[in-house]
Amino acid sequence: MGEFEVDGEEKLIVAAEYLVQELRSNKSLTRNAKKVLGSLLSELSRVVIISDEIEQRLNLVCDKITAREVDETMIWDLGSDAGNEFLEAVNELRGLIDRLDGTTEEEVSLRKAHDVLQTAMARLEDEFKHLLVENRLPFELEHAVEEDSFGTEDLILGRNSEDHIVVDLVRPEVISDLKSIAEAMIASGYDRECIQVCTTVRKEALDEFIYDHEVEKLSIEDVLKMDWATLNTNIKKWVRVMRNIVQVYLISEKSLNSKIFGELNEIFVDTVTAQVMQLLNFGEAVSFGPRQPEKLLRILEMYELVSELLPEIDALFSDHHLGLSVRTEYREVMRRLGDCARATFVEFKSAIASDVSSHPFPGGAVHPLTNYVMNYLMALTDFSQTLDSLLMEHEDVEDLAIPPSPPDVINQVEEEFTYDSPEKFVAMKRHFYSIASVLEANLQVKSKLYRDVSLRHIFLLNNIHYMTRKVLNSELKHIFGDRWNRKHTWKFQQQATEYERATWLPVLSFLKEDGSGFGSGSGSGSRNLRPRERFQGFNSAFEEVYKAQTGWLISDERLREDVRTKASMWVIQAYWTFYSRHKNSVSERYIKYSTDDLENLLLDLFAGSPKSLSNSYRR
């Protein structure tokens, strides 16, 4: 049998030729030979019949597929049944190709089958894209609701097992059709074409969403050139879009990909990476900007959001090498925003210390700096946990001295902090104490711009009282603590007392019989004056005070009434005593005011509207 030592089809041909030769040379066959030849004939008939059947089925399937090329109507627009019929033809064609593969005599048929399969794949690619585009659902920010709020929206939006919101980005009724097309293309070796179509269409959908919500593609240079109003607007948009893209859109996009492609998660990563990087680039650009105090709240908002979304980013981009680059960049942007927030906070304290005034603030009222700083600190309490953790990362005593503070300020901060430190927000409290102390030191400097000593005290009274009220009536009370509040309540009360002494002791010295016990001022030398001259001196001194202090302003109504009431107690009691003693010995023309007059006039003080008393004023 050495002549049969060949392989495959050649072996079969040699054997057949040998058999034909033997049959021609032998005119009689044994029973066994006839039996074997009968089996061979039967097998040959079967092979020929199968070959004919394959050829017939191939022609039928190819005609069914190519017939669609004449009709421009999209197959799935005719319904899922028409689409499934086309897919059945494709799947049968693929099966026929597998049966024809490896045969030489069927090479023409095999080539024809591959050509028709390629045509079918091009058609399926178009159909797949058409279904994705025409059945896309708009994603609105209103889809985003709080994760712990359950209601009718849950029935509409749906939630997965981890309570994430999943919305339909494509009409649910076409998902099974998309999946069937994807399976057919992947099984036919056209997975790359199918994935490319899906990635392109879904990228365009995400691009359109970002564009519709006015989040522009901006370079770092574009962001750095923006004025604060424009940047502030862009940050607001970024925060809103970023939250909803990560918490709703990306989760929904990944769910859609899973429904169509199963576990091919790299499709999701390829689809959304560019847009996520675009959003992260904006965050990075903001972190590169100048450390201006007005930006801090927005930067903290961005940092807090990015920190909050970190677990979801890790979960979404956990299982693909491209996902690693997103996770790495995300953490880098988060770090930069944190560093920016911390540096901006320190710059805020520097701005307070360097705020210089060349003129006193009118009326001794609450200075804009005090208003700005206290409202700023109040706003920062919305980010207490975040800010405290950022400050704790770089907690350093030197931070308290940026900018350099007088030793008494540092000592005051350390004393108050040590005595009254809460269990949480330790770093934040230390820095807030320092800022308040820097503000007080600045106010002390500003108070010296007033020539009138009484007005200096009113200025400090107003501003320290404002600081204390802001702390007591806000979340700041949990940061500063009871001891700070008590101490500063005593401070503004002390300023009120100093004001009373500086203003009214000189005025009331005219009403003292011996003129003793009062400091220098309008009443200096009044001990030798006669009663009528004392009345005249009092009248003149009171009118000077009235003219000046009606123009001063205490905006807090309760504080204003308290100061007026104490002034009234001082003045009315002393005046009544002196008046009762001398009313019968002094002519009425020297007694210009009654106690009721004085009481009413004192009600005009600190209203911020200067008034004067005419010489003709009489009771």
PDB file of all heavy atoms in Angstrom, residues 103-115:
ATOM      1  N   THR A 103     -12.922  23.125   1.007  1.00  0.00           N
ATOM      2  CA  THR A 103     -13.121  22.298  -0.183  1.00  0.00           C
ATOM      3  C   THR A 103     -12.614  23.047  -1.411  1.00  0.00           C
ATOM      4  O   THR A 103     -12.871  24.236  -1.581  1.00  0.00           O
ATOM      5  CB  THR A 103     -14.612  21.960  -0.368  1.00  0.00           C
ATOM      6  OG1 THR A 103     -15.354  23.161  -0.546  1.00  0.00           O
ATOM      7  CG2 THR A 103     -15.144  21.201   0.827  1.00  0.00           C
ATOM      8  N   THR A 104     -11.911  22.347  -2.285  1.00  0.00           N
ATOM      9  CA  THR A 104     -11.342  23.015  -3.459  1.00  0.00           C
ATOM     10  C   THR A 104     -12.332  23.134  -4.597  1.00  0.00           C
ATOM     11  O   THR A 104     -12.368  24.142  -5.305  1.00  0.00           O
ATOM     12  CB  THR A 104     -10.099  22.238  -3.955  1.00  0.00           C
ATOM     13  OG1 THR A 104     -10.479  20.879  -4.212  1.00  0.00           O
ATOM     14  CG2 THR A 104      -8.998  22.282  -2.923  1.00  0.00           C
ATOM     15  N   GLU A 105     -13.194  22.050  -4.784  1.00  0.00           N
ATOM     16  CA  GLU A 105     -14.120  22.114  -5.912  1.00  0.00           C
ATOM     17  C   GLU A 105     -15.234  23.121  -5.683  1.00  0.00           C
ATOM     18  O   GLU A 105     -15.923  23.512  -6.620  1.00  0.00           O
ATOM     19  CB  GLU A 105     -14.728  20.722  -6.201  1.00  0.00           C
ATOM     20  CG  GLU A 105     -15.747  20.232  -5.169  1.00  0.00           C
ATOM     21  CD  GLU A 105     -15.058  19.543  -4.000  1.00  0.00           C
ATOM     22  OE1 GLU A 105     -13.806  19.615  -3.922  1.00  0.00           O
ATOM     23  OE2 GLU A 105     -15.748  18.948  -3.181  1.00  0.00           O
ATOM     24  N   GLU A 106     -15.446  23.547  -4.414  1.00  0.00           N
ATOM     25  CA  GLU A 106     -16.491  24.513  -4.112  1.00  0.00           C
ATOM     26  C   GLU A 106     -15.916  25.920  -3.916  1.00  0.00           C
ATOM     27  O   GLU A 106     -16.517  26.771  -3.286  1.00  0.00           O
ATOM     28  CB  GLU A 106     -17.248  24.093  -2.846  1.00  0.00           C
ATOM     29  CG  GLU A 106     -17.847  22.717  -2.895  1.00  0.00           C
ATOM     30  CD  GLU A 106     -18.949  22.612  -3.924  1.00  0.00           C
ATOM     31  OE1 GLU A 106     -19.432  23.675  -4.395  1.00  0.00           O
ATOM     32  OE2 GLU A 106     -19.348  21.487  -4.271  1.00  0.00           O
ATOM     33  N   GLU A 107     -14.744  26.149  -4.403  1.00  0.00           N
ATOM     34  CA  GLU A 107     -14.067  27.433  -4.192  1.00  0.00           C
ATOM     35  C   GLU A 107     -14.877  28.600  -4.739  1.00  0.00           C
ATOM     36  O   GLU A 107     -14.968  29.660  -4.129  1.00  0.00           O
ATOM     37  CB  GLU A 107     -12.685  27.395  -4.839  1.00  0.00           C
ATOM     38  CG  GLU A 107     -11.861  28.650  -4.595  1.00  0.00           C
ATOM     39  CD  GLU A 107     -10.468  28.543  -5.193  1.00  0.00           C
ATOM     40  OE1 GLU A 107     -10.063  27.424  -5.564  1.00  0.00           O
ATOM     41  OE2 GLU A 107      -9.800  29.585  -5.278  1.00  0.00           O
ATOM     42  N   VAL A 108     -15.503  28.419  -5.870  1.00  0.00           N
ATOM     43  CA  VAL A 108     -16.309  29.484  -6.481  1.00  0.00           C
ATOM     44  C   VAL A 108     -17.497  29.816  -5.588  1.00  0.00           C
ATOM     45  O   VAL A 108     -17.803  30.981  -5.330  1.00  0.00           O
ATOM     46  CB  VAL A 108     -16.776  29.061  -7.889  1.00  0.00           C
ATOM     47  CG1 VAL A 108     -17.738  30.118  -8.449  1.00  0.00           C
ATOM     48  CG2 VAL A 108     -15.593  28.867  -8.811  1.00  0.00           C
ATOM     49  N   SER A 109     -18.151  28.770  -5.110  1.00  0.00           N
ATOM     50  CA  SER A 109     -19.308  28.976  -4.219  1.00  0.00           C
ATOM     51  C   SER A 109     -18.884  29.647  -2.920  1.00  0.00           C
ATOM     52  O   SER A 109     -19.576  30.532  -2.384  1.00  0.00           O
ATOM     53  CB  SER A 109     -19.977  27.625  -3.918  1.00  0.00           C
ATOM     54  OG  SER A 109     -20.509  27.045  -5.089  1.00  0.00           O
ATOM     55  N   LEU A 110     -17.727  29.237  -2.397  1.00  0.00           N
ATOM     56  CA  LEU A 110     -17.236  29.827  -1.141  1.00  0.00           C
ATOM     57  C   LEU A 110     -16.930  31.308  -1.319  1.00  0.00           C
ATOM     58  O   LEU A 110     -17.243  32.132  -0.447  1.00  0.00           O
ATOM     59  CB  LEU A 110     -15.984  29.067  -0.682  1.00  0.00           C
ATOM     60  CG  LEU A 110     -15.414  29.490   0.674  1.00  0.00           C
ATOM     61  CD1 LEU A 110     -16.421  29.270   1.794  1.00  0.00           C
ATOM     62  CD2 LEU A 110     -14.127  28.706   0.964  1.00  0.00           C
ATOM     63  N   ARG A 111     -16.312  31.643  -2.452  1.00  0.00           N
ATOM     64  CA  ARG A 111     -15.995  33.047  -2.710  1.00  0.00           C
ATOM     65  C   ARG A 111     -17.280  33.869  -2.818  1.00  0.00           C
ATOM     66  O   ARG A 111     -17.391  34.974  -2.301  1.00  0.00           O
ATOM     67  CB  ARG A 111     -15.174  33.166  -3.988  1.00  0.00           C
ATOM     68  CG  ARG A 111     -14.641  34.601  -4.216  1.00  0.00           C
ATOM     69  CD  ARG A 111     -13.842  34.710  -5.500  1.00  0.00           C
ATOM     70  NE  ARG A 111     -12.764  33.753  -5.550  1.00  0.00           N
ATOM     71  CZ  ARG A 111     -12.686  32.758  -6.427  1.00  0.00           C
ATOM     72  NH1 ARG A 111     -13.662  32.604  -7.313  1.00  0.00           N
ATOM     73  NH2 ARG A 111     -11.671  31.926  -6.415  1.00  0.00           N
ATOM     74  N   LYS A 112     -18.275  33.296  -3.500  1.00  0.00           N
ATOM     75  CA  LYS A 112     -19.567  33.966  -3.625  1.00  0.00           C
ATOM     76  C   LYS A 112     -20.202  34.177  -2.250  1.00  0.00           C
ATOM     77  O   LYS A 112     -20.728  35.253  -1.953  1.00  0.00           O
ATOM     78  CB  LYS A 112     -20.491  33.113  -4.495  1.00  0.00           C
ATOM     79  CG  LYS A 112     -21.917  33.643  -4.580  1.00  0.00           C
ATOM     80  CD  LYS A 112     -22.807  32.688  -5.375  1.00  0.00           C
ATOM     81  CE  LYS A 112     -24.247  33.164  -5.390  1.00  0.00           C
ATOM     82  NZ  LYS A 112     -25.137  32.230  -6.130  1.00  0.00           N
ATOM     83  N   ALA A 113     -20.128  33.140  -1.390  1.00  0.00           N
ATOM     84  CA  ALA A 113     -20.714  33.230  -0.051  1.00  0.00           C
ATOM     85  C   ALA A 113     -20.047  34.341   0.763  1.00  0.00           C
ATOM     86  O   ALA A 113     -20.712  35.124   1.473  1.00  0.00           O
ATOM     87  CB  ALA A 113     -20.589  31.892   0.666  1.00  0.00           C
ATOM     88  N   HIS A 114     -18.732  34.443   0.690  1.00  0.00           N
ATOM     89  CA  HIS A 114     -18.006  35.490   1.435  1.00  0.00           C
ATOM     90  C   HIS A 114     -18.369  36.875   0.911  1.00  0.00           C
ATOM     91  O   HIS A 114     -18.513  37.832   1.702  1.00  0.00           O
ATOM     92  CB  HIS A 114     -16.492  35.258   1.332  1.00  0.00           C
ATOM     93  CG  HIS A 114     -15.970  34.263   2.305  1.00  0.00           C
ATOM     94  ND1 HIS A 114     -15.996  34.475   3.667  1.00  0.00           N
ATOM     95  CD2 HIS A 114     -15.410  33.026   2.117  1.00  0.00           C
ATOM     96  CE1 HIS A 114     -15.452  33.434   4.294  1.00  0.00           C
ATOM     97  NE2 HIS A 114     -15.091  32.533   3.381  1.00  0.00           N
ATOM     98  N   ASP A 115     -18.517  37.008  -0.384  1.00  0.00           N
ATOM     99  CA  ASP A 115     -18.893  38.308  -0.946  1.00  0.00           C
ATOM    100  C   ASP A 115     -20.282  38.734  -0.458  1.00  0.00           C
ATOM    101  O   ASP A 115     -20.496  39.901  -0.105  1.00  0.00           O
ATOM    102  CB  ASP A 115     -18.890  38.237  -2.478  1.00  0.00           C
ATOM    103  CG  ASP A 115     -17.494  38.112  -3.057  1.00  0.00           C
ATOM    104  OD1 ASP A 115     -16.536  38.420  -2.318  1.00  0.00           O
ATOM    105  OD2 ASP A 115     -17.370  37.701  -4.236  1.00  0.00           O
TER     106      ASP A 115
END
